């Protein structure tokens, strides 16, 4: 069970890498230049910073974190479907920003909920899993 729980960040990073790769390929097929494609990483990072800053100011109790994880996974699915259906240059930056936001929501909630799973494990084992 513990290995399954700790595999979630790996799966999210895998999905994030696939999303970023597909977004870059789609934009290059549309004809975007290299500078515009590099802005995808900038907007992804901006989404992460805005979301992390927002979470640090809000006091959300841990009982809402599972609900936020469900919202985050639905958000990633919707962003992925929209990326398939509606793709142009300007909206791709918005998709990248939203994907950064949803990734940050996952990691904030996951790290807080991890305490309940790994409270019996020594720190060296739990950090080795992570």
């Amino acid at each position: 069970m513990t290995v399954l729980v700790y595999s979630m960040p790996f799966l999210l990073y895998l999905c994030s890498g696939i999303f970023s790769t597909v977004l870059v390929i789609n934009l290059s097929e549309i004809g975007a230049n290299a500078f515009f494609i590099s802005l995808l990483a900038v907007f992804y990072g901006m989404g992460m910073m805005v979301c992390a800053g927002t979470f640090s100011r809000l006091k959300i109790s841990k009982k809402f974190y599972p609900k936020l994880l469900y919202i985050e996974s639905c958000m990633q699915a919707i962003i992925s479907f929209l990326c398939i259906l509606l793709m142009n240059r300007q909206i791709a930056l918005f998709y990248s920003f939203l994907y950064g936001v949803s990734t940050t929501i996952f990691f904030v909630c996951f790290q807080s909920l991890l305490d309940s799973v790994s409270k019996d494990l020594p720190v060296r084992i739990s950090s080795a899993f992570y």
Side-chain angles (χ1 to χ4, degrees):
M1 178 67 178
T2 304
V3 175
L4 182 65
V5 169
Y6 278 100
S7 68
M8 294 304 292
F10 167 74
L11 293 174
L12 186 74
Y13 278 130
L14 183 68
C15 291
S16 180
I18 291 170
F19 178 80
S20 299
T21 303
V22 169
L23 204 57
V24 167
I25 291 170
N26 286 344
L27 281 177
S28 65
E29 287 177 354
I30 290 174
N33 60 10
F35 176 74
F36 189 83
I37 291 175
S38 68
L39 285 177
L40 290 174
V42 172
F43 275 77
Y44 180 82
M46 284 175 38
M48 292 183 89
M49 287 187 330
V50 167
C51 186
T54 303
F55 263 89
S56 68
R57 296 191 189 277
L58 298 176
K59 301 295 182 204
I60 301 172
S61 66
K62 285 189 178 183
K63 69 178 182 178
F64 291 116
Y65 283 165
K67 293 176 185 173
L68 283 174
L69 284 173
Y70 291 130
I71 291 169
E72 179 271 334
S73 59
C74 291
M75 206 170 135
Q76 285 193 349
I78 290 169
I79 293 168
S80 299
F81 284 126
L82 285 175
C83 200
I84 292 170
L85 298 175
L86 305 169
M87 175 57 78
N88 63 28
R89 292 180 187 192
Q90 290 76 21
I91 200 83
L93 296 177
F94 184 64
Y95 291 154
S96 187
F97 181 85
L98 287 180
Y99 210 80
V101 167
S102 68
T103 303
T104 305
I105 291 172
F106 171 80
F107 281 111
V108 167
C109 296
F110 180 78
Q111 288 173 351
S112 297
L113 291 176
L114 204 59
D115 292 339
S116 62
V117 173
S118 64
K119 63 182 171 188
D120 297 331
L121 293 175
V123 173
R124 62 183 166 81
I125 293 176
S126 64
S127 33
F129 273 135
Y130 194 69

